[in-house]
Amino acid sequence: DTEVTQTPKHLVMGMTNKKSLKCEQHMGHRAMYWYKQKAKKPPELMFVYSYEKLSINESVPSRFSPECPNSSLLNLHLHALQPEDSALYLCASSVEIAGYQETQYFGPGTRLLVL
Amino acid sequence: GENVEQHPSTLSVQEGDSAVIKCTYSDSASNYFPWYKQELGKRPQLIIDIRSNVGEKKDQRIAVTLNKTAKHFSLHITETQPEDSAVYFCAAKRGPQVGGGGADGLTFGKGTHLIIQP
């Protein structure tokens, strides 16, 4: 399996809902990432997990809560989101080269709409 | 933190001509520079990357050059085809940070919308 998969593809939620985004890879990659991409903008880093531990949080509001249950799975739990959080949420994983996590491969994303 | 500037924002070329997209970065600690192609509604796809110990890399019609002293890198696409039409993003990644476990996110440029005119 050479792909990063994400579910669901689309999600519509109200501001009081709780939902989760799921990301999976079976390439043996030990670093996984969440990015947020607004329309006509580049992806922006949210979180980095390295060997199942959260290593980077780019000052993301606490209404976004990441979780890495095992080396193949990455979740993003959503609670009390705002309409401005509507975006494409991309997951990525990276292959280790000479001790560094480098080439990042992206999943297809979850398109989130917050009403 | 890292800042990546990308130019131009839109580039229109005739089919068969070459296209060049340029990026500059600010953090001298950055050591890995990938280029992604993103078609409308699709995921970013890695098309080529270069590490800071290399000045140039080529893969068929695509090449990337890196000037570490000037902190800029460029994407060159030759013999452009209609299927090259997309948004292209350059990105930079820092070298390993303390406690980062060797992983760090990418900082992206704002993107270039490449249009290939038939």
Side-chain angles (χ1 to χ4, degrees):
Chain A
D1 190 342
T2 57
E3 267 207 338
V4 178
T5 59
Q6 289 186 245
T7 54
K9 285 188 168 56
H10 303 274
L11 180 61
V12 180
M13 60 186 289
M15 288 189 282
T16 58
N17 292 158
K18 284 185 184 181
K19 296 286 185 185
S20 296
L21 310 185
K22 180 179 169 182
C23 173
E24 205 160 356
Q25 57 88 14
H26 296 287
M27 296 179 279
H29 294 174
R30 301 310 299 271
M32 296 183 77
Y33 310 79
W34 281 114
Y35 288 84
K36 173 183 177 179
Q37 187 176 26
K38 301 278 274 184
K40 298 187 190 297
K41 299 287 187 185
E44 290 182 356
L45 182 69
M46 300 174 72
F47 302 104
V48 179
Y49 272 83
S50 179
Y51 291 85
E52 295 95 72
K53 288 187 169 47
L54 181 65
S55 59
I56 295 176
N57 176 342
E58 291 286 288
S59 303
V60 178
S62 60
R63 57 186 185 267
F64 296 91
S65 175
E67 179 197 18
C68 189
N70 59 57
S71 60
S72 301
L73 194 53
L74 185 67
N75 298 321
L76 186 63
H77 303 297
L78 314 173
H79 173 54
L81 294 194
Q82 305 296 311
E84 58 264 29
D85 296 321
S86 299
L88 179 68
Y89 288 84
L90 292 161
C91 173
S93 68
S94 64
V95 61
E96 184 169 333
I97 298 174
Y100 301 142
Q101 300 289 348
E102 291 202 322
T103 308
Q104 293 186 22
Y105 298 95
F106 284 87
T110 293
R111 197 163 294 281
L112 174 68
L113 177 61
V114 182
L115 299 176
Chain B
E2 176 66 278
N3 182 45
V4 178
E5 300 277 344
Q6 183 172 347
H7 298 280
S9 55
T10 303
L11 178 59
S12 181
V13 300
Q14 289 292 125
E15 182 179 350
D17 287 351
S18 295
V20 180
I21 303 170
K22 298 184 178 183
C23 289
T24 60
Y25 61 98
S26 61
D27 189 348
S28 55
S30 289
N31 65 358
Y32 172 68
F33 307 93
W35 286 87
Y36 286 87
K37 174 184 180 182
Q38 189 174 29
E39 296 174 78
L40 192 63
K42 301 273 185 74
R43 74 185 82 191
Q45 294 265 17
L46 179 74
I47 56 170
I48 197 166
D49 57 10
I50 192 166
R51 291 175 178 80
S52 57
N53 58 349
V54 175
E56 185 173 354
K57 184 177 177 180
K58 191 172 179 182
D59 183 4
Q60 299 183 339
R61 297 187 296 111
I62 295 172
V64 56
T65 58
L66 171 65
N67 183 326
K68 275 177 59 178
T69 305
K71 291 193 210 153
H72 66 69
F73 55 114
S74 301
L75 177 72
H76 304 252
I77 305 174
T78 58
E79 300 170 16
T80 53
Q81 300 166 3
E83 53 265 35
D84 294 330
S85 294
V87 177
Y88 290 79
F89 292 102
C90 63
K93 186 178 88 71
R94 295 177 298 184
Q97 305 297 300
V98 173
D104 200 350
L106 297 171
T107 300
F108 285 84
K110 290 193 168 155
T112 296
H113 185 193
L114 178 61
I115 302 163
I116 308 300
Q117 304 276 7

